[in-house]
Amino acid sequence: MSATPRPPLYRNLSYLGGAGAYAEEVWEVIKQGPLFGGFSRPEVDLLCQFMHCFAAPRDAVLLNEGEDGDYVLIVLSGKVAVRKQGPRSEAITIATAGPGSSLGEMSLVDGERRSASCVATEPVDFAVMTRADLNELMVAHPRLANKFLIKLLQILVERLRDTSVRMLFSQAVSMA
């Protein structure tokens, strides 16, 4: 049983239930991932009480660039293409995410529109934590919520640094 109700997301996908029912499977997938590295098994079990699991078929859109969002998803199985709309409205794959990857962190933090689309390139199972779930976690387990948010911010900063380096490299190549 989840500590939070089913979020009104992904009505067209299979809802698998609260992630607490899958804590063992979630632990095996995410324990080495960047978002949950450093979390103990009991901490992950608690976090699972504030997440929900879904299953998506190949080609399902999990996040849509430009849409509102207030949740993060964690890929548990399968692969997801991260795509940005190009200058001629074409979808450009900028990254691929697999088990243990998190997607949508920026919108969880700032509530702004999605900066990229995420599309399943094969069947995918994933867990979702909404801002409402995070707020419940903050009330029930503030230290754990703080640890989660710090890890989330570390991932965002790492991606920002990586993007900055790639931009500089791209500019240097175009000037040569």
Side-chain angles (χ1 to χ4, degrees):
M1 181 88 187
S2 179
T4 59
R6 181 192 195 276
L9 305 168
Y10 302 114
R11 296 285 184 204
N12 59 331
L13 300 180
S14 298
Y15 178 62
L16 303 176
Y22 303 96
E24 179 66 33
E25 293 90 341
V26 171
W27 168 251
E28 289 303 317
V29 171
I30 66 175
K31 66 183 176 185
Q32 300 303 318
L35 182 56
F36 295 98
F39 282 84
S40 69
R41 172 61 197 270
E43 288 173 325
V44 170
D45 288 349
L46 264 175
L47 285 169
C48 283
Q49 297 303 313
F50 297 87
M51 294 189 290
H52 300 269
C53 293
F54 295 87
R58 181 176 185 208
D59 296 324
V61 177
L62 307 180
L63 302 175
N64 213 345
E65 184 175 358
E67 286 188 352
D68 290 333
D70 69 347
Y71 58 93
V72 63
L73 65 88
I74 297 100
V75 179
L76 301 175
S77 68
K79 296 242 190 273
V80 177
V82 180
R83 298 179 178 155
K84 290 279 294 169
Q85 186 173 351
R88 292 181 282 290
S89 297
E90 75 280 19
I92 300 170
T93 299
I94 59 170
T96 303
S101 299
S102 58
L103 302 166
E105 304 92 342
M106 290 190 313
S107 291
L108 175 69
V109 172
D110 67 8
E112 293 294 321
R113 296 180 186 276
R114 299 290 182 189
S115 64
S117 293
C118 296
V119 179
T121 57
E122 58 187 59
V124 173
D125 289 340
F126 60 98
V128 169
M129 179 183 283
T130 66
R131 182 174 290 147
D133 295 329
L134 181 57
N135 288 337
E136 292 296 321
L137 177 64
M138 285 185 210
V139 170
H141 305 283
R143 285 180 173 260
L144 182 59
N146 185 53
K147 184 175 181 177
F148 177 77
L149 285 171
I150 288 172
K151 290 297 277 186
L152 197 65
L153 290 173
Q154 288 172 339
I155 289 170
L156 290 170
V157 168
E158 181 180 329
R159 288 181 184 167
L160 180 59
R161 288 179 194 276
D162 181 56
T163 299
S164 297
V165 168
R166 283 189 285 155
M167 277 181 45
L168 287 174
F169 179 74
S170 175
Q171 286 178 345
V173 168
S174 67
M175 294 174 128

